[in-house]
Amino acid sequence: MIINVFCDTLDPDYDNHALLEQYQAQVGAALRPAFEDDTPPDVTSMACQVCNAWISSGVSRDASDLKRIQQLLVSSLQNLQTSTHELIISRYNESTSTLLRLSVLQAWAEVYVKAHEINAKDSAEEALDLLSTVEAHETYLSELWMSAIRDHALLALPPSFATQLPPNGGTFYCADTIDSSRPHYRRTWPSILHAAAMWLNKHPFRKEMDKITDMTNEDRLFLSIGVAIEALCAPSSTHTTQTICICLEAFMELISSPWSQAKIAFNHSTCVEYVNVLHRTVLTRSNAQIHIHALKCLLLLQECRGNTGEGSDDRLEPGNSFLFANLEMVMCVLLRRFPEISPTDHPKTPISTYASTGEPLSVIKELIRLSIDVIVGLVSLPTDQFYVEVPEAAFLLLTGLFSACAVNPSEEEKEEQVKTSDFVLHGTPSMGHKFFSVVPHISQGLCSVIKNMEIKDSNDRKWLTCITTTLVTLLQTLDQKSEQAHLESYVSTLTVLICSAPPQSSNVQIVYDKVSALFSKMLEGDMNSKLTALRAFKTLIMSCDPVIRTRYIRSVSPAFFEVFFVYQKDSPVRDDDLTLIKDILSIQRLLLSHCLPNTHIHMISMIVPVLISALGSAAHALCLAEITFLTQTYPVEVRNMFSGKPHLKQQLETAIRSSAAKHKLY
């Protein structure tokens, strides 16, 4: 307990050193006698836990000290031998031997898991030494871990199945000590299951493994999954949060290998049942870490189904549908944090209560990202028959989530964001709600749904209508939340959706009118609004269908040129305006490239005078470079313009001479 409590406490006298580092020698000296032959088993059992806690804490930086503790743990393996087992029985009893052997297996299991976690994050020599120590014994330990899991599964059977228990007991208990052995298994099985699952995933059910014990590969897989699922199905008061998290992590390990996925994927009813168990776990437990693990398991199950390469006969029936079960679970996770996305008509919860559960903001954001991945994954799953209800549900959840996150911050959040500057949209600092940073992920999710459905059937009128409805829903939500809505998020997301969607679904008058009005409004706003609108407008010009692009160019260009015409000679250009001017000039080039040749002269006649008037300001270099570009790209049009307006040519020459004279002075 002391190690677990103080392992992260820093030493006040030495920077970047743990407080417990100075006690390395004392810990080693205290543990050494506990592993001698005449030590009582309960003391050795506790010493194994201390060794595990010390190694896993990361306190020790002395390689030699760490190796001494590791060697003590290695010496504990002798307690697993038959001769030692018989000696302990002769001195004590069978239950004591069960306690000792399971404690040794648990300690090694936890060190095994920790070694792989450390190695995944750190390739330092200490991490590699620990991993090599564990791997030297993993084959021997894995056999015993699987035997312990089988014992636990048998002892966990209800009394009505007592006749199925082996008459001579299991690997680590005898028939006479069943009742006294059960507490030892209840304490140790989660860690052992996790290590065994990790080992099975690391050595993905190789064929020669069947020779290690009398269990086949499928026996190992479904025994381990069964133990994990049994714990997840138990009443919420039966197991701790830590145990449930371990079971979910073990389940992830077990269904991660291609071999195990192939065994599971083709059994439709089994996959549905697994999702129902995960849904029940999320429904009965409020811990966010459990929900995160459950969503990761759900993504792996989707991967299982997707890797089959075959369509399923999923009929969207409650209780029998994999797709429906997924939607139920992700809805459960999201509604707990965002009750207002519910499609029902119950009273809406205010935005300010979203995080009232007291969960860390980073955890809620992770839940949102995983939920989006689950929703998008559902749409990409192969099915024998197209169901428009799936993308409809996906769009419903994602648009509801978007409207909940893409809102302006409260005054308190504004003060906090000024300090941290965490929120960035398209490279531009922007103020937003506390969940604002997940908005790009939601937008990407909406686009992914569109692309996945387009691959399946790009001509299906039902889902084309579904996309149109989604665009209209976002625009209606924007109208309803005009004061709260974060306009930059809406214009960026709507632009990406319009560019991603088939033209026949986005070329709708109501969408066109409202999006055009949104652009005009933002081009009249502050600097950040203008920047976001210009970049969204540029995306429309570059990526949209030609017909749609032309419509938006005609409607948005007047507001665009109003922004450009502000930079006249009598309007000073600040350094902050340079980024805006760069975007304006890049859009002008695009507009020119899309104009009909006979209209180039009219565009250039509007652009060049403004550029000349801005010479001598902070934007002098930008404007001069743009004039040079236009002269080289459209020489005839520029020459004709200057011939019709000789005073502009004189202004240009004067500005260039004035700028050159200033540079000579400096």
Side-chain angles (χ1 to χ4, degrees):
M1 182 180 292
I2 292 175
I3 294 173
N4 292 331
V5 171
F6 292 101
C7 63
D8 295 326
T9 304
L10 296 178
D11 194 323
D13 298 326
Y14 300 96
D15 293 338
N16 299 322
H17 284 270
L19 180 64
L20 294 181
E21 274 189 68
Q22 57 185 300
Y23 299 104
Q24 294 180 81
Q26 291 92 324
V27 170
L31 286 172
R32 201 170 299 112
F35 290 91
E36 295 178 356
D37 294 340
D38 57 348
T39 304
D42 57 337
V43 177
T44 305
S45 170
M46 184 57 66
C48 289
Q49 296 181 43
V50 175
C51 285
N52 166 48
W54 185 256
I55 293 172
S56 301
S57 67
V59 169
S60 180
R61 298 188 181 185
D62 186 350
S64 58
D65 172 77
L66 198 58
K67 285 183 178 179
R68 284 193 292 269
I69 302 297
Q70 292 173 16
Q71 287 306 312
L72 290 176
L73 204 55
V74 171
S75 68
S76 69
L77 291 175
Q78 68 179 352
N79 294 301
L80 302 175
Q81 298 175 0
T82 304
S83 57
T84 306
H85 167 61
E86 293 174 351
L87 180 62
I88 293 174
I89 293 176
S90 64
R91 290 181 178 178
Y92 301 96
N93 54 51
E94 181 77 34
S95 179
T96 303
S97 176
T98 301
L99 165 66
L100 178 58
R101 291 194 288 173
L102 290 178
S103 296
V104 171
L105 290 176
Q106 179 194 27
W108 273 95
E110 293 178 358
V111 169
Y112 181 81
V113 172
K114 189 67 177 181
H116 283 283
E117 290 177 352
I118 294 174
N119 187 61
K121 299 177 183 178
D122 184 11
S123 59
E125 183 178 352
E126 293 83 357
L128 296 175
D129 286 343
L130 179 59
L131 187 62
S132 61
T133 301
V134 173
E135 287 181 339
H137 305 281
E138 64 177 355
T139 303
Y140 170 62
L141 287 167
S142 63
E143 176 185 351
L144 300 177
W145 286 334
M146 291 306 305
S147 297
I149 293 170
R150 181 167 55 183
D151 283 355
H152 166 71
L154 290 169
L155 293 177
L157 291 172
S160 57
F161 291 91
T163 55
Q164 297 188 17
L165 295 177
N168 298 323
T171 306
F172 300 109
Y173 74 94
C174 68
D176 297 333
T177 59
I178 287 180
D179 293 335
S180 59
S181 296
R182 280 196 175 98
H184 306 322
Y185 281 96
R186 280 197 294 266
R187 180 178 61 83
T188 58
W189 74 264
S191 301
I192 294 174
L193 174 67
H194 193 187
M198 184 175 286
W199 186 80
L200 287 170
N201 185 30
K202 182 171 174 284
H203 303 276
F205 302 92
R206 295 176 303 185
K207 193 170 183 180
E208 62 268 22
M209 284 174 56
D210 288 342
K211 301 175 183 179
I212 296 178
T213 66
D214 58 344
M215 285 191 283
T216 65
N217 288 338
E218 288 192 41
D219 289 339
R220 295 186 184 90
L221 173 64
F222 290 110
L223 170 63
S224 302
I225 289 179
V227 170
I229 294 296
E230 189 275 336
L232 296 177
C233 291
S236 57
S237 59
T238 305
H239 300 295
T240 63
T241 296
Q242 182 183 12
T243 298
I244 297 300
C245 285
I246 290 174
C247 288
L248 291 169
E249 289 173 1
F251 186 58
M252 280 189 279
E253 295 284 353
L254 291 166
I255 62 175
S256 295
S257 73
W259 184 89
S260 60
Q261 289 187 353
K263 289 292 180 182
I264 295 170
F266 291 99
N267 192 326
H268 177 79
S269 59
T270 299
C271 289
V272 173
E273 194 58 36
Y274 288 156
V275 179
N276 288 336
V277 171
L278 294 173
H279 181 202
R280 183 188 182 282
T281 303
V282 166
L283 196 61
T284 57
R285 292 181 177 270
S286 59
N287 184 271
Q289 286 301 326
I290 289 178
H291 293 189
I292 287 175
H293 288 316
L295 288 172
K296 289 179 179 178
C297 291
L298 198 58
L299 286 170
L300 284 171
L301 288 172
Q302 286 186 1
E303 183 181 326
C304 290
R305 298 290 291 167
N307 287 344
T308 61
E310 300 180 4
S312 68
D313 57 351
D314 200 308
R315 302 185 185 281
L316 286 180
E317 297 175 354
N320 298 315
S321 167
F322 182 76
L323 297 173
F324 190 87
N326 276 256
L327 287 171
E328 278 187 314
M329 178 177 158
V330 75
M331 175 73 85
C332 177
V333 172
L334 291 175
L335 284 181
R336 190 183 290 268
R337 279 91 189 171
F338 299 93
E340 79 164 19
I341 72 172
S342 172
T344 59
D345 295 329
H346 63 71
K348 305 298 184 183
T349 301
I351 293 173
S352 59
T353 64
Y354 285 157
S356 60
T357 55
E359 297 165 340
L361 191 58
S362 59
V363 173
I364 302 179
K365 289 178 180 178
E366 177 68 12
L367 279 168
I368 294 173
R369 293 187 183 95
L370 288 170
S371 298
I372 294 170
D373 292 342
V374 168
I375 294 169
V376 173
L378 279 178
V379 183
S380 63
L381 287 176
T383 53
D384 291 334
Q385 182 179 345
F386 174 78
Y387 293 104
V388 73
E389 292 85 358
V390 177
E392 280 181 348
F395 283 132
L396 176 67
L397 289 172
L398 291 174
T399 52
L401 198 56
F402 179 86
S403 64
C405 296
V407 294
N408 289 317
S410 62
E411 292 302 321
E412 294 79 6
E413 289 172 336
K414 287 181 180 179
E415 294 177 3
E416 183 65 24
Q417 290 168 27
V418 168
K419 298 176 184 177
T420 59
S421 299
D422 281 342
F423 299 97
V424 176
L425 180 65
H426 299 296
T428 304
S430 177
M431 304 289 282
H433 187 250
K434 52 194 168 187
F435 301 122
F436 176 73
S437 61
V438 301
V439 168
H441 200 66
I442 301 173
S443 303
Q444 186 58 47
L446 287 165
C447 292
S448 297
V449 172
I450 292 174
K451 291 176 182 177
N452 287 330
M453 296 313 301
E454 192 170 14
I455 292 172
K456 287 188 174 183
D457 191 348
S458 60
N459 297 315
D460 192 290
R461 294 301 308 171
K462 292 181 180 178
W463 85 269
L464 292 176
T465 304
C466 185
I467 296 175
T468 304
T469 304
T470 300
L471 291 169
V472 173
T473 300
L474 284 174
L475 290 165
Q476 289 176 342
T477 304
L478 177 60
D479 291 340
Q480 296 168 3
K481 296 185 176 182
S482 56
E483 298 299 324
Q484 291 179 314
H486 192 269
L487 297 183
E488 289 88 344
S489 298
Y490 274 88
V491 75
S492 299
T493 299
L494 286 165
T495 299
V496 173
L497 290 179
I498 291 170
C499 293
S500 302
Q504 56 268 44
S505 65
S506 58
N507 193 17
V508 180
Q509 189 64 38
I510 185 173
V511 174
Y512 164 74
D513 290 340
K514 288 184 176 293
V515 171
S516 299
L518 177 59
F519 270 104
S520 299
K521 180 178 180 180
M522 292 193 63
L523 288 171
E524 296 173 356
D526 57 19
M527 181 64 70
N528 187 66
S529 295
K530 290 177 181 177
L531 282 170
T532 305
L534 288 173
R535 292 171 186 180
F537 185 39
K538 182 178 179 180
T539 301
L540 278 175
I541 298 173
M542 295 175 63
S543 306
C544 259
D545 176 81
V547 175
I548 298 176
R549 177 179 63 215
T550 302
R551 293 190 69 179
Y552 281 108
I553 287 176
R554 289 174 178 172
S555 63
V556 179
S557 290
F560 163 75
F561 279 107
E562 286 296 326
V563 176
F564 178 54
F565 292 153
V566 167
Y567 296 100
Q568 302 287 344
K569 188 173 183 179
D570 56 347
S571 179
V573 178
R574 301 165 300 176
D575 291 340
D576 295 343
D577 295 328
L578 293 179
T579 302
L580 186 67
I581 292 174
K582 287 179 182 177
D583 288 340
I584 289 173
L585 296 180
S586 66
I587 292 174
Q588 284 178 350
R589 292 189 182 187
L590 286 172
L591 291 175
L592 274 168
S593 67
H594 289 294
C595 284
L596 295 174
N598 60 351
T599 63
H600 286 165
I601 182 64
H602 303 295
M603 287 283 293
I604 289 173
S605 297
M606 287 193 300
I607 295 170
V608 173
V610 180
L611 293 175
I612 292 175
S613 68
L615 292 175
S617 67
H620 177 87
L622 287 173
C623 293
L624 185 59
E626 188 65 18
I627 293 172
T628 303
F629 168 80
L630 293 173
T631 303
Q632 295 173 348
T633 309
Y634 307 99
V636 176
E637 289 83 351
V638 172
R639 191 181 308 115
N640 291 338
M641 183 206 65
F642 278 130
S643 64
K645 299 178 180 179
H647 66 283
L648 288 178
K649 184 176 182 180
Q650 184 178 358
Q651 288 180 15
L652 175 61
E653 293 172 348
T654 302
I656 293 174
R657 284 196 295 268
S658 176
S659 176
K662 288 182 181 179
H663 281 83
K664 285 182 180 179
L665 289 175
Y666 291 103

